[in-house]
Amino acid sequence: MDKFRMIFQFLQSNQESFMNGICGIMALASAQMYSAFDFSCPCLPGYNAAYSAGILLAPPLVLFLLGLVVNNNVSMLAEEWKRPPGRRTKDPAVLRYMLCSMAQRALIAPIVWVAVTLLDGKCFLCAFCTAVPVTVLGNGSLAPGLSAPELARLLARVPCPDVYDGDWLLARDVAVRYLRCISQALGWSFVLLTTLLAFVVRSVRPCFTQAAFLQSKYWAHYINIERKLFDETCTEHAKAFAKVCIQQFFEAMNHDLELGHAHGAAATAPDGSAAPTITDGAEEEREKLRGITDQGTMNRLLASWHKCKPPLRLGQEEPLLGNGWAGGGPQALRKEVATYFSRV
Amino acid sequence: MEKFRMFFQHFQSSSESVMNGVCLLLAAVTVKMYSSFDFNCPCLARYNALYGLGLLLTPPLALFLCGLLANRQSVVMVEEWRRPAGQRRKDPGVVRYMCSSVLQRALAAPLVWILLALLDGKCFVCAFSSSVDPEKFLDFANMTPSQVQLFLAKVPCKEDELVRDSPARKAVSRYLRCLSQAIGWSITLLLIIVAFLARCLRPCFDQTVFLQRRYWSNYVDLEQKLFDETCCEHARDFAHRCVLHFFASMQSEMRARGLSRDAAGRGREPPEMPSGLDGDGSRKAHLRAVSSREQVDRLLSTWYSSKPPLDLVASPGLWARGLNHRAPTVAPGTRLSPHTDV
């Protein structure tokens, strides 16, 4: 079980490796979707091109946007972009890095779809069957006898073997083979081009601004991890808050009932039982609250997290919420710590 | 078992991830349901549209209601909406946030069904085969209108004698399937664009209010869960004490009878309360006074009608009478000190 937990933790600890996993799954899903999808060309002159163009372009767009939606970094990027600077300056290089890395990963599934579609050939066949050079491939002498719409209607049925009735003009197999060859050539060229582009970008990038790149990468990871930790801390706080709230509710009920019993006996309630019994468990929970014990303060904390993020400089405690939240007064001795500046 | 416990613990760490898990599960169930369903178009003029559209719209409605049922948060939301304000004011924004998150997750499975049905095409072909314009297809030129209508109604059934191996049927079927797939892809594209824009643009509006509502809706959910757990713990403690009380009283009654019958007196020690009763008393001291049915009922109805305020430092007394007795023993100021050292 430790293995399972380790894998889970590893994938989630690094947002990039998690996104790589999602990206791989989406690429596989894209290929699977294509094979499960039942391509059926309309075989009508006006509709063939529209249908094929739709199948070639709409699913990749859907997959690209899905890749972005599934990526948690999108809302993080938007948040980082729109937040007020507060005490932490914003760095456009970090935002650009995040955008690039998200877009690159989201592009993989659409590329897989386009490549698979072209290599399969049905889409291309459906789109360009009316543009086949009949004079070269078939009985060219008979072609002028037909009007253009007639020819178009005849050729539009090439992708549909059960309705094609133009064998006298052009053998169906010939047209299909011809178009599939072109489609596959285009498909392989597309795959080669994209791989070459990816390779060039990856190899050549270290030649330019490598230092700035490393800094952007670091701070992008930092922002991601900080947000996750903040959410986890908030959840922990909410749990502790709820536990203490419920405990206090029960204790209050407890006391009221005990005092009610003591009334009849006309005995003084012993001090020990009147005071709330604070057990060890409750102390732990109160510590987790970190001093934030009411709704107004929590709301102010959340508001100031967005409006005024703390500076990227550790080892210095400053009042966060203005009026003496930390009790006001001069701070205690400052420890000697290294400070890391956020200028990229 | 360790495997399952770890798995569940991971998913339950956040209520949002639990709901996402349920949502995905329901979507997977929908896909399986659709692929195993045996579509059977009636191929009769008036019933086609009813069957096709019914199959396109009724299962999504059922799946939507299932999605609402399966989501615990829908009950929590309704409770939060309808509770009396009591000592804790209500925030309509939190209820709206919970409502929208519940609805979004419940809509996933119905949309999967509708998209699968449209991309597959059978429902659409069945529903709209009679409404196709015969002028588009040359094969209908030499048929009477009633013949055309009969033919069109039978288009979804490949094996029917009237339309078997007919190129006209194939043409109409193909045309409708393409239309169905085009509509399906368009709806998918539209939905994904809306989801993408919603995700990107949300931080541009009221991000602080969003953070606050998210925190408090998570809090309400956690509080309800913890209250249920505390009540279970109390019920167990109550039952334990009840049973032990019963045994002890039975024992003392038997001894009393034994003593009265046997006047010699065996000098037995008076029965002691079993130590188990007080063994974990220190841990559950706050649960012990609630020890009768009426008191439990009162506790539960107070929890509903007057939830405690979201302020842990203020004195948590429930009733004014109780406070007057306790005020001299616990001064509010003494509790503040552990909490203000940040």
Side-chain angles (χ1 to χ4, degrees):
Chain A
M1 254 323 59
D2 273 338
K3 255 186 270 189
F4 191 66
R5 192 201 314 238
M6 251 170 46
I7 292 177
F8 235 20
Q9 271 176 358
F10 170 72
L11 281 180
Q12 286 185 336
S13 62
N14 188 355
Q15 177 74 1
E16 279 206 345
S17 65
F18 181 68
M19 281 319 300
N20 286 345
I22 295 279
C23 177
I25 290 176
M26 276 187 64
L28 284 174
S30 161
Q32 181 62 26
M33 242 168 72
Y34 182 81
S35 58
F37 178 68
D38 204 357
F39 187 91
S40 70
C41 195
C43 294
L44 296 166
Y47 296 87
N48 277 6
Y51 183 81
S52 312
I55 295 296
L56 191 65
L57 299 174
L61 193 58
V62 166
L63 288 167
F64 177 69
L65 290 175
L66 193 66
L68 289 180
V69 164
V70 159
N71 195 342
N72 283 333
N73 283 358
V74 161
S75 54
M76 214 173 65
L77 177 66
E79 240 181 80
E80 180 67 15
W81 183 35
K82 291 310 279 182
R83 72 171 170 92
R87 294 194 296 172
R88 186 189 286 187
T89 53
K90 293 205 279 192
D91 189 358
V94 171
L95 295 174
R96 274 197 305 267
Y97 172 85
M98 281 164 68
L99 187 65
C100 282
S101 99
M102 276 187 328
Q104 279 169 24
R105 281 179 181 79
L107 275 174
I108 294 190
I111 287 175
V112 167
W113 176 279
V114 171
V116 169
T117 308
L118 286 174
L119 290 174
D120 188 34
K122 286 192 285 234
C123 199
F124 196 83
L125 175 66
C126 188
F128 292 101
C129 53
T130 47
V132 165
V134 180
T135 46
V136 172
L137 295 174
N139 291 332
S141 50
L142 297 169
L146 290 167
S147 63
E150 267 295 307
L151 188 64
R153 200 186 61 77
L154 196 74
L155 288 176
R157 292 183 174 193
V158 163
C160 306
D162 39 5
V163 290
Y164 183 61
D165 52 359
D167 275 317
W168 51 274
L169 181 64
L170 174 66
R172 187 183 169 266
D173 284 342
V174 170
V176 166
R177 250 198 320 269
Y178 175 75
L179 287 171
R180 279 194 82 189
C181 284
I182 297 182
S183 174
Q184 284 177 353
L186 276 175
W188 282 118
S189 313
F190 178 75
V191 168
L192 187 63
L193 198 68
T194 42
T195 354
L196 202 62
L197 198 66
F199 174 74
V200 162
V201 165
R202 225 182 154 150
S203 331
V204 163
R205 199 205 42 229
C207 304
F208 303 96
T209 62
Q210 178 66 357
F213 172 75
L214 285 175
Q215 289 166 352
S216 307
K217 194 159 94 150
Y218 178 87
W219 290 113
H221 284 173
Y222 173 82
I223 291 173
N224 185 30
I225 290 173
E226 191 189 51
R227 189 173 93 148
K228 245 191 284 212
L229 283 175
F230 182 75
D231 286 343
E232 273 174 28
T233 312
C234 277
T235 306
E236 213 179 271
H237 183 272
K239 241 186 247 183
F241 200 114
K243 267 195 196 150
V244 175
C245 200
I246 290 172
Q247 218 161 27
Q248 283 181 347
F249 178 78
F250 272 85
E251 278 168 10
M253 175 75 78
N254 201 26
H255 285 299
D256 284 321
L257 289 170
E258 275 182 355
L259 286 170
H261 289 319
H263 241 135
T268 55
D271 286 331
S273 65
T277 50
I278 298 181
T279 58
D280 287 339
E283 266 312 303
E284 248 179 66
E285 297 302 331
R286 279 175 195 274
E287 274 171 21
K288 280 193 195 157
L289 290 174
R290 295 178 174 89
I292 298 170
T293 50
D294 71 283
Q295 190 178 20
T297 316
M298 189 67 207
N299 282 341
R300 270 184 306 165
L301 181 141
L302 293 169
S304 92
W305 177 255
H306 174 69
K307 291 209 177 100
C308 183
K309 278 210 166 58
L312 291 166
R313 186 173 305 130
L314 305 173
Q316 191 177 325
E317 287 176 20
E318 291 163 14
L320 280 175
L321 299 176
N323 299 336
W325 170 250
Q331 290 302 313
L333 56 100
R334 279 183 66 162
K335 291 188 270 188
E336 291 287 312
V337 292
T339 58
Y340 299 95
F341 292 97
S342 63
R343 297 267 174 273
V344 175
Chain B
M1 255 14 270
E2 191 59 45
K3 248 187 268 199
F4 285 114
R5 180 153 21 143
M6 207 215 66
F7 202 64
F8 279 132
Q9 262 174 10
H10 168 80
F11 275 108
Q12 284 179 345
S13 59
S14 156
S15 67
E16 273 198 12
S17 62
V18 170
M19 293 191 302
N20 287 346
V22 168
C23 178
L24 281 173
L25 195 66
L26 210 55
V29 163
T30 308
V31 171
K32 184 74 190 146
M33 245 170 68
Y34 185 82
S35 55
S36 48
F37 180 72
D38 198 7
F39 190 84
N40 192 17
C41 194
C43 292
L44 298 166
R46 278 190 297 274
Y47 296 93
N48 276 3
L50 206 62
Y51 186 85
L53 288 175
L55 211 60
L56 192 62
L57 300 173
T58 316
L61 193 60
L63 287 167
F64 177 69
L65 294 172
C66 269
L68 289 179
L69 282 171
N71 197 345
R72 236 190 93 252
Q73 226 193 22
S74 53
V75 174
V76 172
M77 173 200 76
V78 171
E79 265 180 42
E80 176 67 15
W81 182 34
R82 299 306 299 168
R83 70 170 171 92
Q87 299 184 357
R88 186 191 290 186
R89 60 186 170 80
K90 294 207 284 190
D91 185 2
V94 169
V95 175
R96 273 199 305 267
Y97 176 87
M98 287 166 79
C99 187
S100 88
S101 100
V102 161
L103 282 178
Q104 279 169 29
R105 284 178 177 85
L107 278 174
L111 285 173
V112 168
W113 177 281
I114 291 178
L115 289 172
L116 276 179
L118 286 174
L119 290 175
D120 188 29
K122 289 192 283 234
C123 274
F124 198 84
V125 172
C126 185
F128 294 102
S129 67
S130 309
S131 341
V132 164
D133 182 13
E135 314 271 311
K136 283 204 174 81
F137 305 93
L138 294 174
D139 319 85
F140 295 124
N142 45 3
M143 286 163 93
T144 64
S146 59
Q147 274 179 331
V148 166
Q149 280 307 310
L150 189 64
F151 187 92
L152 286 176
K154 298 230 183 251
V155 157
C157 300
K158 289 190 230 212
E159 299 307 319
D160 194 87
E161 309 113 33
L162 185 65
V163 296
R164 198 183 303 172
D165 295 329
S166 156
R169 182 203 76 81
K170 289 177 190 161
V172 172
S173 169
R174 217 178 10 248
Y175 168 74
L176 286 171
R177 274 191 86 195
C178 291
L179 206 56
S180 168
Q181 284 175 351
I183 293 177
W185 280 118
S186 311
I187 292 181
T188 317
L189 193 59
L190 195 69
L191 287 173
I192 203 91
I193 287 177
V194 165
F196 175 71
L197 286 176
R199 221 167 164 177
C200 278
L201 296 181
R202 199 202 49 224
C204 302
F205 305 96
D206 263 347
Q207 179 67 356
T208 51
V209 171
F210 170 76
L211 285 174
Q212 290 165 358
R213 285 181 185 163
R214 194 169 67 157
Y215 177 88
W216 291 114
S217 79
N218 197 23
Y219 173 82
V220 166
D221 194 37
L222 280 170
E223 193 189 47
Q224 186 61 29
K225 245 191 289 210
L226 283 169
F227 184 75
D228 288 342
E229 275 174 29
T230 313
C231 282
C232 270
E233 210 179 280
H234 182 268
R236 180 187 287 257
D237 184 50
F238 197 174
H240 192 216
R241 279 188 287 151
C242 214
V243 167
L244 288 175
H245 236 292
F246 174 74
F247 274 86
S249 63
M250 181 68 76
Q251 197 177 29
S252 62
E253 202 185 295
M254 278 174 18
R255 279 198 184 133
R257 280 211 206 129
L259 277 172
S260 67
R261 244 190 283 150
D262 185 354
R266 292 181 195 176
R268 288 218 183 126
E269 297 298 319
E272 295 164 1
M273 287 295 271
S275 58
L277 201 59
D278 284 346
D280 45 359
S282 59
R283 260 194 314 132
K284 299 191 176 81
H286 58 283
L287 297 174
R288 296 208 40 206
V290 182
S291 53
S292 80
R293 186 180 174 156
E294 294 77 27
Q295 286 166 357
V296 171
D297 287 344
R298 195 156 58 138
L299 181 138
L300 293 172
S301 77
T302 312
W303 178 256
Y304 175 71
S305 62
S306 173
K307 279 208 164 62
L310 289 167
D311 190 344
L312 303 175
V313 172
S315 196
L318 284 173
W319 297 286
R321 305 190 301 269
L323 270 179
N324 291 336
H325 292 282
R326 280 172 50 228
T329 55
V330 179
T334 58
R335 281 216 224 163
L336 283 174
S337 44
H339 302 301
T340 50
D341 295 337
V342 178

